[in-house]
Amino acid sequence: MAAVGVSVRRIDGEDKVSGHAIYAGDLRLPGMAIAKVLRSPVPHARIRRIDTSKAAAIPGVLAILTRDNINVASNSFGAYVRDQQILATDKVRYVGDMVAAVAAVDTHTAQEAVGLIEVDYDELPAVLNIDEALKAGAPLVHENLDRRDPGYGRYGSHVVHHDTNICLHFRHERGDVGDGFKNSDQIFEDTFYFPSAQHYPMEPHVCVAQFEGDVMTVWSATQSPFPVRQELARVFGLPFSAVRVIVPSVGGGYGAKSGIKTEGIAGCLSKMTGRPVKLAFGSEETFKTICQPRAKMTLKTGVKKDGTFVARHCEVYLDGGAYANSGPSVTEKAGYRAHGPYRLPHVLTNAYSVYTNTVPAGAFRGFGGPQVAYAYETHIDMIAHRMALDPFEIRMKNLLDRGESFSPGDTPIDCDLKAGLRSVAQAIGWDAKPDAHQDSGPKRRGIGIATAMKDGGGTNKPANATVKIFFDGSALLSTGSVEVGQGMRTAFMQVVAEELSMPTDQVRVAVLDTHYTPFDKGTNASSATSIMGQAVLKAARDARRQLIEAAAAVLKAPVDKVKLENGMANHGEQKLSYRDVMQRHFRESEGEIWGRGYFKIEKDNNVPLGFPSPFWEIGFGAAEVEVDTETGEVKLLRYVSLTDAGKMIHPLQCHGQDEGAAVFGLGQALFEDLAYDKGQLLNGTLIDYRLPRFTDLPSAFSTHIMEGGGGPGPYGAKGMGEGGILPVAPAVGNAVFAATGARIQAVPLVPELVQKKIGSGKG
Amino acid sequence: MAAVGVSVRRIDGEDKVSGHAIYAGDLRLPGMAIAKVLRSPVPHARIRRIDTSKAAAIPGVLAILTRDNINVASNSFGAYVRDQQILATDKVRYVGDMVAAVAAVDTHTAQEAVGLIEVDYDELPAVLNIDEALKAGAPLVHENLDRRDPGYGRYGSHVVHHDTNICLHFRHERGDVGDGFKNSDQIFEDTFYFPSAQHYPMEPHVCVAQFEGDVMTVWSATQSPFPVRQELARVFGLPFSAVRVIVPSVGGGYGAKSGIKTEGIAGCLSKMTGRPVKLAFGSEETFKTICQPRAKMTLKTGVKKDGTFVARHCEVYLDGGAYANSGPSVTEKAGYRAHGPYRLPHVLTNAYSVYTNTVPAGAFRGFGGPQVAYAYETHIDMIAHRMALDPFEIRMKNLLDRGESFSPGDTPIDCDLKAGLRSVAQAIGWDAKPDAHQDSGPKRRGIGIATAMKDGGGTNKPANATVKIFFDGSALLSTGSVEVGQGMRTAFMQVVAEELSMPTDQVRVAVLDTHYTPFDKGTNASSATSIMGQAVLKAARDARRQLIEAAAAVLKAPVDKVKLENGMANHGEQKLSYRDVMQRHFRESEGEIWGRGYFKIEKDNNVPLGFPSPFWEIGFGAAEVEVDTETGEVKLLRYVSLTDAGKMIHPLQCHGQDEGAAVFGLGQALFEDLAYDKGQLLNGTLIDYRLPRFTDLPSAFSTHIMEGGGGPGPYGAKGMGEGGILPVAPAVGNAVFAATGARIQAVPLVPELVQKKIGSGKG
């Protein structure tokens, strides 16, 4: 292949590094107003009164939006449960809930006016974590939720009674865990805690909304422009044809940018003022908008004497915060994956999405995978230690083989997991490992490994693409996938060039515009290359077919004798450039070829989540740490990441994706956690919240990418970019245990926690 | 019909009158530079040296573009002859020719820097009008033109030798005029002069050009985005897929906005600076960019005693200015129409496009029609007067009947010309007309009539449209026609709503974007409703067919039993909204229906211009004037305009179009003319150039629109909006003659000219 498997120049690379790329926040439209929002200072309260009179008196204030004048057809929204409002109506449910918004001539005026809005609250008791939320008689975050809302209670999930903070309960069962435990030689039960992290995209949430010519146009930093269109159409009572979402350059998403965030308020203010309105959250506001669900997970596993797994019972609680967002889906996915990539005849999992009065949680790179992988990969190490088995060997004994089922009826495992594990173990020097925690001195080294897997996403996504060949023979691809930094545009350009046998410099990828781009559900779950890629390939092949037909007609040759090669259509000695083919074939009509491609994973009600997994995304990791036993500081010395790309379209980007994922995992393993005090987020700024820095990278850091060819994407490509995050926290935790003998069942492994555990004796 | 024939609310009306509509000049992109150009102060010269050093020293100057550093693949462009450069290279050819350009941080800096660029010219003798240009040994405007350029010398036009200022010679002959004149009882020969007018769109030429992500994006106020894309692709050496032309709201075109104007320079400066660059001409610069061709026309007609025409010989010279633009095409059209809508067995026309060292001339509302209509409608009145025949009767005797041929092989006349003429004559009171110029006193009244016809345009235009039905049942139309103010978007919305049997509020029209919009040649020649309208109708019908098929599948009904009515698909008692049809049919694929429509007038080499006329656009006028014989002032008291719309999609807009056209004609009849002194344009500002004002409107002004149903457009619609301009100047001139007995063979009828003619005795 000429264009695929090559690390060609990245389309958006130069513009992004040189500052030329244009983001939604860069837009300036004539007369554009700037919006700012007022947020709740209390975690749970009824709003008694909102007084905007002082704010309205500030010169330059153009409009103030509150529940009292909100101009929408429907004020509720939500991808799975319509539990959120454009602006709070009766209650606020977390510190940061949006209560009012101001549009003004500039940022300063808007901010000043926001500060003058007076809100009287009747404070209510709040539930601030999973345990509080689940207590009998706990205050309810949502009293009167209509649980019949679309998306709620799909598949195996249960509809839960009204008087609870459980948003969703997903149950997954096979075999009989009771019988399984009876037939086990030993049973182990452990509880684990995983933190709530911030996505921290470089670009916070931002949009510009404008009503012009009966069309609401929104330039938005969103991963899901079509769902945003759908929500805005409903909220504003408009037909789809009157809502246009355009996606300029996007500065990262990681799950944060699904669903409407700024768009509803900006739209209301634009309607009120008759002006374009920009609403850009600061990064501190983004901290208060969406985060990763915090998790509490208990795993109970029955094991034979030789280490063979028999049964596993998982109880998974995800803290969904104040609003559901994608939390229900994350919960289902976490629950489905909770028992790990192991052969387990008996499984029972209950997974719960729990409302609390904290920042809403939802989709986050890994989508519930990092939480449960941390639990099952720490648990397996603990089992091995208790049974005096080798952590590597117990994994090898229980790992699923290629072709085996993760869950009956679901797609068979599409790569060699054992080869992957062996590979990372060898790379970290597993066989030669010193019994590290026996070292003397305050600094001790240890190594740890972890294996993890997630079912691929994009299952419910219809993927569409069009490939147009212009009259000059050049090609344009249009797809609904968003370039959030993953390199999708470049990879798709390669696929189109490959399928059309033309140089990549003749191919461009169109800007995403819901008026024009064929429908797509959103860019998430490692589905761009794998799922959309297939639609792109089909669209290119459809265009290729038409181009060959045109060439055959011009060359008076049979269709099957025309060969395309490097921008030329050849029939024997006759050679025509694509430009000539187009111009001779279409002549005065100056026609264009429009190729269309469609791909969708078909529904299968026999599979727990309603769709078979399109592929299995894996993430294997091996870590060497050095722990300062006096301070508790954990230093990651070496890290090896491994995933399976199926086929690498653009190798450099694949490695970049895996590196990025591993660094995300590193943050959650060592530093990241949203800390609250009485519902107040304590570290919602970059000064207080510790993101990984380049200096945190291990000095030896490598990513290994298998090309097992098992994916549904072009040329066997699978999704990737999330797998790498999954094993980091357990691999690091396992290495810390190896180094110190201290078993810590929570991340991040901040020095205080590690030092305390070491001090309290070995786990 | 529910949606058609009704003057529904205009889509872009409110935004335009309230100032909310966004034009290219309103755009502000981050880091955007502002460009200004330096223009030649002399009509004809070689450029010896350009010194930009002083200009470059100004702080805030980002780039200076001259012939010495121009960064293009090809510096020549032109729709018919590639005779123009992005910036002048060897020579300047008129006062206003662009020599250099500056990009700076703001307008003031750019303007200041432009003023500091030093250019040394070697002045050359100039040819400033048609007569000078045609003299033997005249200086050549273009010495080394490659006349093999595309578009040059099509159809019956001749390729002319190198050493002449004739750009194009079109010859049209039928019968034998020599024989015709021999068989005539009387022969009359007269020469006429028609002025060069300015289009004066409210919005001057403007664009913003930007290179981002390997794509050159241009937001341009253009009537012809796809031809602009093609030229830019060639100039910059880019594939079509890398050039994206977006058309925001456009403030009028009238032919001025065809082809590249500002886009080439803005693109070069954007490449140089790495920034978006805005280049907005002031209205004074627009005066120096493009105008209507000045004309000198001699008509010689052989007539039988009873007034029956036998033969006509026309010599038409159009002053094309320094560059061809669309001048060659205008010349062909003017030549083809020069003998008028009359039965003439013998015709010989020579039409010439002539280069001079004046502002380039090209397409202008009427496209050569007003010039020749002025000639043949004044000539016919002069013949009538000399033969003592009634001007109305001589026209009625010679006018073509419906179904008769204008030219053998061409489309038969598609409306009742005689009924039209009778109608305007009656409206002005022809039968009761006083022998006005016999009145005593200094102010004299008279009436005049004129009939005119032009072949419809858009003949070489492939028209494409797509109509998408979204998953919620709403519809979006995409077409390459530009809304230049004519109301195209609203009319097309009506056609789509009508064809889809849905309320108009469910239909929107997409923004024009060459990356997405299906190909179109440009919006000109009254072709939007008539030619593109047919593609729109077909696209809507294609979508309707698919919607019916979907509904039939959902309703389990035969396709031919499903009826669409007001947004509902019905089968007997079963009724489903379009939303329900879409959602039940496409289900989880959330599919969209894409309907496509294509229409093109087929080539026919038997017709002089290579294509049959798609329709005949007519313009009949009747005027009553009052002439102050002492001052020469002509006041238009009453004016009646008549055209044939075939079928009015939106009656109010049709009347608006015809009123606008008549006012254009009024300007050329009474005020408008670009005046030069030694090649210097004297009145290239709104202070000096006299456009019609509301106070110039006749107190009685009516437009009559026939609906003859003969057009190729939806429901029989024909093009309109140009017809109204054609008869004004001759009708007014004929009325002045009736009032004063002074026959003036030139317009505009400015007081000096009228007074002089009256003073010199009757014509």
Side-chain angles (χ1 to χ4, degrees), chain A residues 15 22 213 240 511 516 521 590, chain B residues 15 210 213 511 516 521 590:
Chain A
D15 281 334
I22 294 189
F240 283 9
V511 167
Y516 279 119
K521 273 274 218 234
E590 302 193 27
Chain B
D15 281 333
Q210 176 200 31
V511 167
Y516 278 118
K521 273 275 219 232
E590 303 192 28

Side-chain angles (χ1 to χ4, degrees), chain A residues 177-198:
Chain A
V177 284
D179 286 352
F181 287 133
K182 277 182 208 153
N183 294 326
S184 300
D185 294 320
Q186 293 196 59
I187 297 171
F188 302 97
E189 180 172 331
D190 301 299
T191 295
F192 304 93
Y193 299 89
F194 200 83
S196 173
Q198 213 328 274

Side-chain angles (χ1 to χ4, degrees), chain A residues 76-85 148-154 167 224 226-228 230-231 234-235 255 257-261 290 323-330 355 361-363 367 460 521 524, chain B residues 590:
Chain A
S76 65
F77 70 96
Y80 292 87
V81 189
R82 288 193 194 133
D83 58 0
Q84 196 158 3
Q85 288 79 46
R148 292 163 307 174
D149 276 337
Y152 189 84
R154 305 175 313 163
C167 172
S224 57
F226 289 89
V228 164
Q230 182 176 338
E231 288 276 40
R234 205 178 41 74
V235 165
K257 292 179 178 168
S258 306
I260 61 176
K261 297 287 187 299
I290 187 79
Y323 299 105
N325 283 283
S326 306
S329 182
V330 175
Y355 283 122
F367 212 74
N460 63 337
K521 273 274 218 234
N524 47 44
Chain B
E590 303 192 28

Side-chain angles (χ1 to χ4, degrees), chain A residues 9 11-12 15 20-22 26-30 210-215 226 229-230 238-242 244 249 273-276 460 462 464 466 468 470-472 474-476 478 505-519 521 588-590 592 594 596 598 600 603 611, chain B residues 9 11-12 15 20-22 26-30 210-215 226 229-230 238-242 244 249 273-276 460 462 464 466 468 470-472 474-476 478 505-519 521 588-590 592 594 596 598 600 603 611:
Chain A
R9 184 171 148 272
I11 295 178
D12 52 343
D15 281 334
H20 284 127
I22 294 189
D26 292 326
L27 293 173
R28 279 151 197 54
L29 297 177
Q210 176 200 32
F211 282 85
E212 190 197 7
D214 281 4
V215 171
F226 289 89
R229 175 185 71 180
Q230 182 176 338
L238 293 170
F240 283 9
S241 57
R244 183 180 178 210
S249 288
T273 58
R275 295 171 178 242
N460 63 337
N464 292 282
T466 59
K468 201 188 279 196
F470 289 115
F471 194 51
D472 74 337
S474 63
L476 184 80
S478 175
D505 69 4
Q506 293 291 302
V507 183
R508 295 296 186 283
V509 182
V511 167
L512 205 165
D513 176 340
T514 60
H515 256 185
Y516 279 119
T517 311
F519 180 76
K521 273 274 218 234
E588 297 200 324
S589 78
E590 302 193 27
E592 298 163 342
W594 287 33
R596 292 181 68 178
Y598 169 71
K600 186 169 185 316
K603 207 166 160 56
F611 293 90
Chain B
R9 183 172 148 273
I11 293 176
D12 52 344
D15 281 333
H20 284 127
I22 294 188
D26 293 326
L27 293 174
R28 279 151 198 52
L29 296 178
Q210 176 200 31
F211 283 85
E212 191 197 10
D214 280 3
V215 172
F226 289 89
R229 175 184 72 181
Q230 183 176 338
L238 294 169
F240 283 9
S241 57
R244 183 180 177 208
S249 289
T273 58
R275 296 169 178 243
N460 62 338
N464 292 282
T466 59
K468 201 188 279 195
F470 289 115
F471 194 51
D472 75 336
S474 63
L476 183 80
S478 176
D505 69 4
Q506 294 291 300
V507 183
R508 295 294 187 284
V509 182
V511 167
L512 204 165
D513 176 340
T514 59
H515 256 184
Y516 278 118
T517 310
F519 179 77
K521 273 275 219 232
E588 297 199 325
S589 78
E590 303 192 28
E592 298 164 341
W594 287 32
R596 293 181 67 179
Y598 169 71
K600 187 169 183 317
K603 206 166 161 58
F611 293 91

Side-chain angles (χ1 to χ4, degrees), chain B residues 83 174 177 246 366 394 482 553 580 671 676 685 695 720 733 746:
Chain B
D83 58 1
R174 68 163 180 262
V177 284
I246 299 172
I394 194 172
V482 176
D580 287 339
F671 321 119
Y676 292 88
T685 73
T695 52
M720 60 166 297

